[in-house]
C-alpha cells in the first residue's frame, strides 16, 4: 500500500531529491572515474526517497522547539494587542464622559452665579443684609470667689437651697478695685456671672443632658442649668451681706471654692422679676422644688459627740460664724439630696462623702424612709480626703 504525506498550512515540500542526487554523484566520483550509470541506477527509487525525506523533514520542522516558542510568542503578542485595543476603547469612552460632565458643570456654575447675583440684588434692595460677626472678645475674671464648698460633692444646685452658705469675693479689676464697687452696697442681692472651671479637661457638651430631678430622663441643655454647656458660663443670684474695701461678703452661694467670676451685676426686682404680668410666667413642675422630695436629716450619736467636741475646742469654721451654723447649712444641703443619678443607682447603700467649710462629713441615705443620717464629722484639716470612717 502506497503511503502518502501531506503538507499542512500550504507549506512547500523540502527539496530533498536534489540533495539525494548530489550525494549519488559524489559517491560515483569516489570510485575513480565518473560513471553516470551508477548515479542513474538509483533514479527509479528517487521518488520514494524524496517522499520519505520530505515527510521526515516536515516532522522535524513541526516538532522543533524553536518553532513552538515562536508560535507561543506570536499568540501572546496577538493577545496583548487585543487587550491594548480594549483599553484604548475604554479610555475613549472615559474621555467622552469627562467632556459631557465638564459641560454640565459649566452650565450649573453659570446658573448658580446668576442665582447669587439675583439674591444679592434682592438683599440690597430690601436691606436684609446682616453684618458679619467679628471675633469674640477674650474674657478675664474680675476675681475668684472663696466659698464653704471645697469640692463638687455637697455643693447645692441652687443657692436658695442653703441660705446660710457663705462666700467672699475679692475684686481684682483695675488699679483701685474698690472704686468699681462704689454704690453696690445699696443693693441686697447681686448676680454673679462665672465659669464652670471644674468640668474637666476632656468634657464635651451635648445637646441633651440628664437633670437629677428627672431621674435620668433627658432634656435639652438650654432648658436646664447643667454645668456642661457649649460655653461653660453660669449665672447665680447671691445675697450681698456687706461690702468692705475690695471684697464682697455673700451668702446663699452655690459655687465651688476657687470659681472664677467674670462679672457682678446688681439685682433689680423691677427688671429682673416680671411683676407686671405674673400670669404670663410659666415653669415646668420638674424644675421647681417640692416639699415631698425633701429628706429628713439627723445626726448619729457618734456625730453628736463629735459636734460637741468641736464646740468646746478652739477650732472655728473658715467662713461661717459657728459650728452650729455649719451643721445647719450641712443639713439643708443633705435635705435637698445632692447625690447624682449615678450615685443613687450605682452606689446605693454606700456612705456618701460631703465637704462643708472645714468639715469632712460622711452620711448614709435611706431612700425608702426618705431619711439621711450624718454618721461622722471631722475637721477637714485632720483627715485624709476620701478615707471612709470606720
Amino acid at each position: 500500500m502506497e503511503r502518502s504525506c501531506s503538507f499542512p498550512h500550504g507549506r512547500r515540500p523540502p527539496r530533498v531529491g536534489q540533495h539525494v542526487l548530489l550525494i549519488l554523484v559524489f559517491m560515483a566520483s569516489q570510485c575513480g572515474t565518473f560513471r553516470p550509470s551508477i548515479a542513474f541506477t538509483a533514479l527509479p527509487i528517487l521518488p520514494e526517497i524524496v517522499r520519505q525525506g520530505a515527510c521526515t523533514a516536515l516532522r522535524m520542522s513541526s516538532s522543533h522547539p524553536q518553532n513552538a516558542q515562536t508560535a507561543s510568542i506570536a499568540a501572546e503578542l496577538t493577545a496583548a494587542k487585543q487587550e491594548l485595543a480594549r483599553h484604548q476603547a475604554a479610555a475613549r469612552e472615559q474621555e467622552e464622559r469627562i467632556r459631557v460632565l465638564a459641560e454640565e458643570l459649566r452650565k450649573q456654575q453659570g446658573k448658580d452665579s446668576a442665582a447669587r447675583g439675583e439674591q444679592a440684588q434682592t438683599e440690597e434692595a430690601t436691606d436684609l443684609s446682616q453684618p458679619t460677626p467679628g471675633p469674640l472678645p477674650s474674657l478675664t475674671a474680675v476675681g475668684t470667689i472663696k466659698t464653704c464648698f471645697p469640692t463638687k460633692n455637697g455643693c447645692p444646685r441652687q443657692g436658695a437651697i442653703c441660705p446660710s452658705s457663705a462666700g467672699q469675693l475679692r475684686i481684682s479689676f483695675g488699679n483701685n478695685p474698690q472704686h468699681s464697687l462704689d454704690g453696690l452696697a445699696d443693693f441686697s442681692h447681686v448676680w454673679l456671672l462665672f465659669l464652670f472651671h471644674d468640668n474637666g479637661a476632656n468634657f464635651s457638651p451635648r445637646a441633651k443632658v440628664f437633670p437629677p430631678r428627672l431621674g435620668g430622663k433627658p432634656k435639652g441643655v438650654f432648658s436646664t442649668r447643667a454645668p456642661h454647656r457649649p460655653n461653660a458660663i453660669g449665672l447665680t443670684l447671691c445675697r450681698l451681706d456687706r461690702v468692705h474695701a475690695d471684697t464682697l461678703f455673700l451668702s446663699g452661694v452655690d459655687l465651688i471654692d476657687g470659681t472664677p467670676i467674670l462679672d457682678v451685676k446688681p439685682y433689680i426686682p423691677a427688671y429682673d422679676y416680671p411683676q407686671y404680668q405674673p400670669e404670663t410666667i410659666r415653669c415646668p413642675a420638674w424644675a421647681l422644688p417640692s416639699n415631698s422630695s425633701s429628706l429628713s436629716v439627723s445626726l448619729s450619736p457618734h456625730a453628736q459627740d463629735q459636734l460637741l467636741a468641736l464646740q468646746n475646742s478652739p477650732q472655728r469654721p473658715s467662713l461661717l460664724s459657728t459650728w452650729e451654723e455649719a451643721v445647719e447649712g450641712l443639713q439643708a444641703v443633705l435635705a435637698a439630696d445632692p447625690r447624682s443619678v449615678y450615685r443613687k443607682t450605682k452606689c446605693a447603700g454606700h456612705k456618701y462623702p460631703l465637704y462643708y467649710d472645714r468639715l469632712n462629713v460622711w452620711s448614709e441615705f435611706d431612700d425608702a424612709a426618705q431619711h439621711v443620717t450624718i454618721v461622722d464629722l471631722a475637721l477637714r484639716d485632720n483627715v485624709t480626703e476620701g478615707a471612709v470612717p470606720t
Side-chain angles (χ1 to χ4, degrees), residues 149 151-158 161-162 211-213 293-297 329-344 352-356 361 363-365 367 371-374:
F149 301 106
T151 68
K152 289 187 289 186
N153 264 28
C155 186
R157 300 184 180 97
Q158 303 296 330
I161 292 177
C162 186
R213 285 183 178 275
S293 62
S294 181
L295 306 179
S296 59
V297 184
L330 179 61
Q331 290 176 320
V333 170
L334 290 172
D337 196 352
R339 295 176 299 170
S340 63
V341 175
Y342 177 84
R343 281 193 174 271
K344 289 180 181 180
Y352 178 75
L354 186 149
Y355 312 104
Y356 190 74
V361 182
S363 57
E364 293 179 343
F365 285 82
D367 294 324
H371 182 78
V372 56
T373 303
I374 299 173

Side-chain angles (χ1 to χ4, degrees), residues 169-171 178 181 185 240 242-249:
L169 173 59
R170 185 176 182 180
I171 301 298
Q178 64 273 15
L181 302 178
L240 179 59
R242 62 190 177 96
V243 179
H244 178 69
D246 59 357
T247 303
L248 307 181
F249 292 83

Side-chain angles (χ1 to χ4, degrees), residues 191 267-279 281:
W191 293 106
Y267 173 79
I268 304 176
Y271 306 131
D272 294 343
Y273 178 74
Q275 295 176 343
Y276 54 92
Q277 286 182 333
E279 68 277 1
I281 301 175

Side-chain angles (χ1 to χ4, degrees), residues 19 37 47 85 101 104 137 151 163 197 210 276 309 326 336-337 375 381:
H19 299 165
S37 59
L101 291 177
E104 293 179 356
T151 68
H197 69 295
F210 304 90
Y276 54 92
D337 196 352
V375 297
D381 304 341

Side-chain angles (χ1 to χ4, degrees), residues 144-366:
T144 301
I145 192 169
K146 180 176 179 60
T147 73
C148 56
F149 301 106
T151 68
K152 289 187 289 186
N153 264 28
C155 186
R157 300 184 180 97
Q158 303 296 330
I161 292 177
C162 186
S164 63
S165 60
Q168 297 176 8
L169 173 59
R170 185 176 182 180
I171 301 298
S172 58
F173 168 69
N175 295 328
N176 298 291
Q178 64 273 15
H179 291 176
S180 63
L181 302 178
D182 185 20
L184 188 61
D186 298 334
F187 297 90
S188 63
H189 292 76
V190 291
W191 293 106
L192 299 183
L193 195 67
F194 64 93
L195 285 177
F196 288 105
H197 69 295
D198 203 20
N199 280 344
N202 298 324
F203 105 95
S204 57
R206 298 182 180 180
K208 292 276 190 170
V209 295
F210 304 90
R213 285 183 178 275
L214 292 180
K217 295 180 181 179
K219 285 291 180 182
V221 65
F222 294 130
S223 65
T224 72
R225 298 188 176 187
H228 296 86
R229 317 183 70 81
N231 294 303
I233 298 176
L235 179 68
T236 187
L237 182 65
C238 302
R239 179 176 179 83
L240 179 59
D241 296 326
R242 62 190 177 96
V243 179
H244 178 69
D246 59 357
T247 303
L248 307 181
F249 292 83
L250 307 165
S251 60
V253 299
D254 58 351
L255 303 177
I256 302 174
D257 187 42
T259 297
I261 304 301
L262 299 176
D263 200 4
V264 180
K265 298 179 184 293
Y267 173 79
I268 304 176
Y271 306 131
D272 294 343
Y273 178 74
Q275 295 176 343
Y276 54 92
Q277 286 182 333
E279 68 277 1
T280 62
I281 301 175
R282 63 179 181 272
C283 183
W286 63 265
L288 298 173
S290 174
N291 292 331
S292 61
S293 62
S294 181
L295 306 179
S296 59
V297 184
S298 65
L299 276 72
S300 68
H302 176 66
Q304 292 178 6
D305 293 340
Q306 289 176 311
L307 176 59
L308 182 60
L310 285 173
Q311 291 172 341
N312 295 330
S313 71
Q315 300 289 345
R316 290 293 177 265
S318 176
L319 296 177
L320 303 173
S321 301
T322 62
W323 291 117
E324 290 81 357
E325 186 181 8
V327 172
E328 179 185 349
L330 179 61
Q331 290 176 320
V333 170
L334 290 172
D337 196 352
R339 295 176 299 170
S340 63
V341 175
Y342 177 84
R343 281 193 174 271
K344 289 180 181 180
T345 57
K346 303 297 183 180
C347 302
H350 292 232
K351 292 180 179 179
Y352 178 75
L354 186 149
Y355 312 104
Y356 190 74
D357 200 274
R358 292 180 62 192
L359 292 178
N360 190 16
V361 182
W362 292 87
S363 57
E364 293 179 343
F365 285 82
D366 187 346

